[in-house]
Amino acid sequence: MTKSLWMGMVLALSMTTTSLCVATSDFSRALNANLSVSGQMTPEKFKILLQDGFKSVIVNRPDQEAGNTVKVNQLRDIAEKSRVSVIYQPVSSGAISQADVQEFAKYYNELPKPILMVCRSGSRSAALFNQAKAQGLIHE
């Protein structure tokens, strides 16, 4: 086997492996070592994310929100098979209250980690975390 053919095979293999890793990590965005956020959920995407080792899930997207295609009970059914707890803390987009921030902080501090937060785009979940952190409510 020539050196150029060998190098081409190694490059192709490494690119394939990298593509697979990126594909699964594209489903969520880490905010710290203990928390990631994810957007629009499907049962298939949720199953893949649970394989990443999340021990808890907080769903911030209301079941009745426009465009929501998967309800919290569907996610809970999938999570139970992996022994992952699901907390339903619906928060309206653009209307996060101080009570929402305090409730999230309580969950964050008590739930097994790592935690996955789910909403439409990940922004609402990230805002909850960032506000709780800025207020000193998060215990690392």
Side-chain angles (χ1 to χ4, degrees):
M1 184 178 292
T2 67
K3 183 177 180 180
S4 62
L5 179 60
W6 173 252
M7 293 300 285
M9 289 173 59
V10 169
L11 179 61
L13 180 59
S14 67
M15 288 176 65
T16 301
T17 304
T18 302
S19 297
L20 291 173
C21 293
V22 170
T24 59
S25 66
D26 281 349
F27 286 153
S28 67
R29 177 174 49 103
L31 299 183
N32 69 15
N34 294 316
L35 181 82
S36 294
V37 297
S38 183
Q40 183 69 34
M41 197 54 59
T42 65
E44 296 76 23
K45 179 179 172 181
F46 191 62
K47 289 174 188 175
I48 291 169
L49 282 166
L50 291 181
Q51 292 174 4
D52 286 345
F54 292 105
K55 296 194 184 333
S56 305
V57 176
I58 301 173
V59 178
N60 298 125
R61 188 169 191 185
D63 275 350
Q64 71 279 8
E65 186 175 81
N68 191 2
T69 60
V70 69
K71 307 296 185 221
V72 71
N73 284 336
Q74 292 172 280
L75 299 179
R76 190 171 279 126
D77 289 344
I78 295 167
E80 284 177 357
K81 293 175 184 158
S82 299
R83 292 191 164 95
V84 173
S85 61
V86 174
I87 301 295
Y88 183 51
Q89 185 196 4
V91 178
S92 295
S93 185
I96 296 174
S97 70
Q98 182 60 29
D100 294 329
V101 173
Q102 291 173 331
E103 182 180 6
F104 162 72
K106 177 181 172 273
Y107 292 137
Y108 180 89
N109 293 325
E110 294 175 0
L111 288 171
K113 293 170 185 66
I115 299 170
L116 174 67
M117 294 179 73
V118 177
C119 65
R120 185 178 55 79
S121 68
S123 296
R124 176 178 356 184
S125 297
L128 273 170
F129 171 75
N130 289 330
Q131 287 182 36
K133 186 174 180 178
Q135 293 176 30
L137 301 174
I138 299 295
H139 306 157
E140 297 287 342

